[in-house]
Amino acid sequence: MSKLDNPRWRTIDIVVASVIAVAFGVIFWAWGLVWSATSGAFAFFPPAQALIYGVWLMPAVVGGLVIRKPGAALYCETVAAVLSALLGSQWAGTVIPQGIVQGLGAELAFAAFRYRSFRLPTALLAGVLTGVSAAVFDFFVWNAKYDLTSYRIPYALLTVVSAAVVTGVGGYALTTALARTGALAHLPAARDRTLV
Amino acid sequence: MISLEPVADPTAPLARRNPVAKLAAALLFSFTLVATLDPVAPAIAIAIELAVLPLFGVRYGVLAQRAWPLLLGAVGILVTLVLFAAEREGRVLVEAGPVLVTSGVLVTALGLVLRTFAVALPGVIVFATTDPTDLADALIQNAKAPPRFAIGALAAFRLVPMLGQEWQMISLARRARGVDAGRNPLAKLRLFVSTAFGLLVGAIRRGTRLAVAMDARGFDAGTPRTVARRQRFTVADGLLVVGAAVLAGGALAVSIALGTFRPLVG
Amino acid sequence: MSGVSVRLRGFGWRHAGRRAWAVRDVDLRIEAGERVLLLGASGAGKSTLLAALAGLLPEDSGERAGDIEIDGLPPQEARDRVGMVFQHPESQLVMARSGDDVAFGLENRGVPADRIWPRVDEALARVGFPYGRDRPTAALSGGEQQRLALAGALALRPGLLLLDEPTANLDPAGAALVRRAVADAVDAHTTLVLVEHRVAEALPLVDRVVVLAAGGSVRADGPPERVFAEHGAALAADGVWVPGHPVPPRRAVAPAGEVLLTADRLGLPPRLGPTDLAVRAGEALAVLGPNGAGKSTLALLLGGLLRPGSGRATASPELADADRRTPPHRWRAPALARRIGSVFQDPEHQFVTGTVFDELALGPRRTGRPEAAVRATVDELLDRLRLERLARANPYTLSGGESRRLSVATALATAPRLLVCDEPTFGQDRRTWSELVDLFAGLRDAGHGVVTVTHDADFVDAIADRRFTLERATRSTEERP
Ligand SMILES: Nc1ncnc2c1ncn2[C@@H]1O[C@H](COP(=O)(O)OP(=O)(O)OP(=O)(O)O)[C@@H](O)[C@H]1O
Ligand SMILES: Nc1ncnc2c1ncn2[C@@H]1O[C@H](COP(=O)(O)OP(=O)(O)OP(=O)(O)O)[C@@H](O)[C@H]1O
Ligand SMILES: [Mg+2]
Ligand SMILES: [Mg+2]
């Protein structure tokens, strides 16, 4: 565990968090097309679609791990949602509250560790919590008319699994890989880097 | 293809409204409609949305272009419902093995599909008529958003059109260096992932430089910022928000009066 | 604001993760209103020093020695007196519209709203910005971006103006315009520190020259005439462009050989109109033309990287080898890398690995060379282009000139029969510039074809056997020197 940094965001924290959000916003926009195009096919085996759900939740975990400041997870997920709406995502404005709800999940996990741990277990917890918040949102808002035992519950569980694996572990791996490239040199996430 | 330019006539009477007002109106309208699962209220809402479209200066063709993926989503909803509907009352229309389609299922599907459209369209309209700079300005001036964050996000938004070009350049660079995937789908996926990763790395580097350039111009130096572009929240903007709430409420009211209302919870 | 004075005492900076100091033992006094040209070999630490003066080196990004005072204050506290234009123009524009971008700095400084727009218009007029305030910044060419960045710095009326190679990548007319804008904008109340490799053009703007030695300390300091008279020959040998010390040309020793690649109405609307061109073996062809004419597009088409929008590129049977029936843009990548090498205009677009060494080894490995041969090639290139001490460094942490050299070296590493380079010499000091000219000349004399897109007149004079000029109106002319 490292010591708590000054919680104030520097310009670089704000801009890089925004850039991460923007990059994922663009990915969301493309992902939305994939999602729509495959939703008919996946309906025969809905678990599969839930498994790729984790991508929607990545900015929350990656943002939190890279920036390491209170609010980073929430900020990244929300800005990514706003951007995908600006780009003309078919879900438009509804992704904004959805993004806020999802971001809150991950934020809670980082807060639980008092913004001092950014290791795999934290990332995993952040993934799970953001998955839970996303699953709850979908359970009530989008999936209300589907069968409870054969669809809504498995879908929610798979969302959480996807969030743990794709978002949590994947987000952690992505952050480590980013740090290895040296791109995060001026950010808190680079602190653990071994000097060469 | 990716562009943040507004695609509508910016002088249209409602397109000119304050971005915060437009956003609030869209969210109010959408989230009132999330509350119901029946086909009637969303149908009325869609009619309202299509009727006000010219006031926002959005052409119907533009809307269709942005909203077509919703059609794919509609197919998904239909298939999912046929397989996993919670209730299957009504007349049996098709019965083949596990597939059981009843009139009730079709009504539910219609409701869900219409609801998706009704909920999504206001946002599509607002974002098609809103410039990101104006949105950030209005968020700072009228919604008291923290300026450092709004401006920081705005600066990052400027990179969006560049990301498309960057993607192309990264792909070209790899090809020039002898890296390609050929016909192997697995290699293709790997190359796609590594290109996406390269894009993210490049974007972060650019963001780092941008932050330095912003600091060099006195961003976040502690001096109170002034604003060069004034955004005003007028009575007309307030009316837009109220109007959206009234119209959405009206659609629900009609549905309740007709006895078709089916609440989301309960 | 009146001019700002600068003091450095034993200043040094070492970037995090580096063993060597980027600058070291710099003692320097710059009085208010002085105009200084900062010279030094590529990698001598010029950009680092400017960043330090602007207060843009955060404590946690490296190690500092000695100290700096701007008007008696630490640089972080004197930021509001300093305006800076960076080496990379496109990553310093902040807003989506040109006028808003200039206004951005004024808003940050708390200038009252009603005074902002007159100052924006004045700054835009000063740099000869050709469009209105609403012009999207994403639609500007490299030269226009550079001008806008300069306007953004000038609008702040800084007491200390720091310019890092403000004319790199500009066509000669654009470069002259930017220099004139700087000359007009800098009055008795502005202290100027300018970094520019091409001394001759920059001299009219300055009254003092400071030369940084590679590895630290100030090597020479004084009025330009005196510095060049006293140290001229030694500085030239060290890599500084000294006026009156020309580099000998490297003309072709033999007439050009057979045609390697033919462009037949080749184009990509709207970026490039139909273009006819033949590239020969044993010939250095220079492609010239103003900013935005489509030179880079042509280079990518010739390099087999973009699919042509019109016409076609045909490789000779000799170049095409086993792929005679297909045009270069359909070749598999390893085959392409073996036959046609490309150097991109922005070096950073080209990097795909994490260290300088891997970057150079990638191409040879992909084309199937044995590991021992790969090592030998890489070591030779590292040595000739003075990158050996950076072999383990990350390509993205290199200085402007170093990253340019690395990107050229990556294309040279596969020894392709045809080499297509986009601005291979910008930002180079005299020594590495000569080394590049020698490398290209050597390839040409060994029968390779060399195409270079360039704004560098010295380079054209030194090596080009033939020139091809693209006009902006997508008309082209061909002539022999
Ligand atoms: N962010 C960084 N991290 C690590 N090393 C760096 C970084 N920036 C520069 N360096 C190194 O510091 C040294 C000085 O770099 P600097 O950019 O100041 O050189 P320069 O004199 O401006 O060269 P050029 O004329 O090529 O632009 C170089 O060896 C470079 O590799
Ligand atoms: N990816 C792209 N998409 C669309 N237009 C482009 C793209 N790249 C360049 N252009 C435009 O095409 C024209 C030619 O661009 P190109 O980069 O080939 O010019 P150039 O001659 O290399 O200019 P410079 O000397 O500034 O490098 C320019 O007007 C440019 O704005
Ligand atoms: Mg430099
Ligand atoms: Mg070019």
Side-chain angles (χ1 to χ4, degrees), chain C residues 89-220:
Chain C
E90 92 261 11
S91 48
Q92 56 185 306
L93 302 182
V94 181
M95 304 292 276
R97 291 183 291 243
S98 301
D100 296 351
D101 190 74
V102 179
F104 172 73
L106 298 169
E107 293 176 306
N108 292 335
R109 300 266 159 99
V111 173
D114 53 333
R115 298 232 297 276
I116 289 181
W117 293 112
R119 277 173 75 169
V120 168
D121 291 336
E122 186 208 319
L124 287 176
R126 267 190 170 181
V127 299
F129 189 72
Y131 310 104
R133 289 183 206 152
D134 282 339
R135 178 82 178 179
T137 47
L140 300 177
S141 82
E144 290 157 359
Q145 287 175 357
Q146 209 126 32
R147 247 175 259 181
L148 186 63
L150 184 60
L154 291 180
L156 302 173
R157 302 192 183 142
L160 173 61
L161 184 60
L162 306 171
L163 305 177
D164 199 351
E165 303 196 34
T167 58
N169 272 319
L170 293 198
D171 58 37
L177 240 159
V178 165
R179 278 194 297 271
R180 205 168 329 129
V182 173
D184 290 347
V186 179
D187 47 28
H189 304 303
T190 315
T191 313
L192 172 72
V193 180
L194 171 69
V195 172
E196 185 69 82
H197 281 289
R198 299 312 169 87
V199 175
E201 284 100 26
L203 276 184
L205 294 174
V206 298
D207 45 32
R208 176 176 167 194
V209 171
V210 172
V211 186
L212 285 186
S217 75
V218 173
R219 194 163 187 296

Side-chain angles (χ1 to χ4, degrees), chain A residues 8-9 11-12 15 18-19 22-23 36 43 46 75 85-88 90 92 94 97 140-141 144-147 150-151 181, chain B residues 2 31 66 79-80 84 86-87 108 115 119-120 123-124 127 148-149 153 156-157 160 203 205 207 211 215 219-220 262 264:
Chain A
R8 185 186 145 80
W9 291 50
T11 307
I12 184 170
V15 177
S18 308
V19 164
V22 160
S36 295
Y75 177 79
L86 273 168
L87 285 173
Q90 64 270 32
T94 54
F140 290 110
V141 175
K145 276 325 259 185
Y146 302 136
D147 189 62
S150 72
Y151 192 89
T181 66
Chain B
I2 306 182
F31 277 85
R66 288 217 165 186
V79 175
T80 315
F84 296 102
E87 304 135 18
T108 311
R115 186 176 79 131
V119 165
V124 173
F127 284 113
R148 294 198 310 142
F149 285 86
F157 278 16
V160 170
R205 285 185 203 289
D215 276 341
F219 189 67
D220 192 25
R262 285 204 272 165
L264 179 64

Side-chain angles (χ1 to χ4, degrees), chain B residues 5-73:
Chain B
E5 306 271 307
V7 289
D9 172 14
T11 59
L14 289 185
R16 271 189 296 137
R17 295 275 57 85
N18 185 295
V20 168
K22 286 193 282 183
L23 192 60
L27 289 179
L28 259 176
F29 196 87
S30 290
F31 277 85
T32 311
L33 287 161
V34 166
T36 179
L37 294 168
D38 73 304
V40 175
I44 299 172
I46 292 174
I48 295 171
E49 286 157 8
L50 293 180
V52 300
L53 207 54
L55 293 177
F56 279 95
V58 181
R59 274 176 287 113
Y60 288 98
V62 171
L63 186 71
Q65 224 171 43
R66 288 217 165 186
W68 70 262
L70 280 174
L71 286 176
L72 292 176

